[in-house]
Amino acid sequence: MKIKKISLSSTQKLNFISNLSTMISAGIPLLSAVGSLLEDAQGNVKKILEAIRTDLLQGKHLHSSFEKFPLVFDSVTVSMIRASEESGTLDVVLKDLKDQIKKDIAFKRKVRSALIYPALVLLVFFAVLLMILVVFIPKIVTVFTQLKLQLPLPTKMLFLASNIVT
């Protein structure tokens, strides 16, 4: 049974994995750690923790609970959790997972900040183009129509574009 609609932001996922990792590393049993996290949880995190606790009480593994939330935990994460449960290194894998999520968040921020400048340049370009088509070209059109000259095709196309926009 997959609960496909539930998702978490990167920050919520980081906090969840970080807190779980800290508790498991401190030697707290998994069921107790989930119960402790559940006390302060809200929203989708609470729903995920409740499903995990229910599964653990039924004797299921943590990775089978993670599989129910494909928008939160991808298949690589589920496989890592499965392998760590079998090998007894859940604390190490959770810590590695936490570090990877931090790197992913940092990378997304860098990409977002790198795209801001080109987006701003494009916005200014279209604003200037719109201003030219709406303000300046109509004034030039009146001059050329009064002169009754034979205009080249690109100029006629520019005048037509200005007419369409206005």
Side-chain angles (χ1 to χ4, degrees):
M1 177 181 129
K2 290 188 178 185
I3 306 171
K4 294 183 179 187
K5 296 180 182 178
I6 294 179
S7 65
L8 296 179
S9 69
S10 297
T11 308
Q12 288 175 318
K13 185 176 174 180
L14 175 64
N15 289 338
F16 169 70
I17 295 295
S18 179
N19 291 339
L20 188 61
S21 171
T22 302
M23 291 181 164
I24 298 297
S25 295
I28 298 173
L30 183 57
L31 188 57
S32 299
V34 169
S36 178
L37 290 174
L38 194 53
E39 292 174 8
D40 297 328
Q42 298 174 356
N44 286 343
V45 176
K46 186 172 186 169
K47 292 176 186 176
I48 291 170
L49 285 168
E50 286 171 346
I52 291 171
R53 188 177 83 194
T54 302
D55 287 349
L56 291 175
L57 287 172
Q58 293 174 358
K60 295 180 181 176
H61 291 281
L62 181 63
H63 73 269
S64 64
S65 297
F66 277 23
E67 280 179 326
K68 293 180 180 180
F69 303 98
L71 294 178
V72 179
F73 307 108
D74 59 0
S75 60
V76 174
T77 301
V78 172
S79 297
M80 287 174 57
I81 297 296
R82 178 183 295 127
S84 70
E85 285 180 309
E86 291 173 1
S87 65
T89 58
L90 184 60
D91 58 335
V92 174
V93 170
L94 286 173
K95 190 177 288 187
D96 291 342
L97 192 58
K98 175 182 73 171
D99 294 339
Q100 185 60 44
I101 294 169
K102 282 182 183 178
K103 288 177 186 176
D104 289 346
I105 290 171
F107 178 73
K108 286 178 185 177
R109 285 183 183 152
K110 286 179 183 179
V111 168
R112 192 177 304 125
S113 66
L115 291 176
I116 288 174
Y117 180 73
L120 186 64
V121 168
L122 245 122
L123 181 71
V124 169
F125 168 76
F126 282 116
V128 169
L129 179 65
L130 187 65
M131 187 176 74
I132 288 172
L133 289 174
V134 171
V135 177
F136 298 116
I137 298 296
K139 292 178 183 178
I140 295 172
V141 168
T142 57
V143 172
F144 278 109
T145 53
Q146 289 174 353
L147 292 176
K148 295 183 182 178
L149 295 173
Q150 182 63 25
L151 299 173
L153 182 62
T155 306
K156 289 180 183 178
M157 290 172 54
L158 183 64
F159 291 167
L160 177 63
S162 175
N163 283 336
I164 290 172
V165 170
T166 56

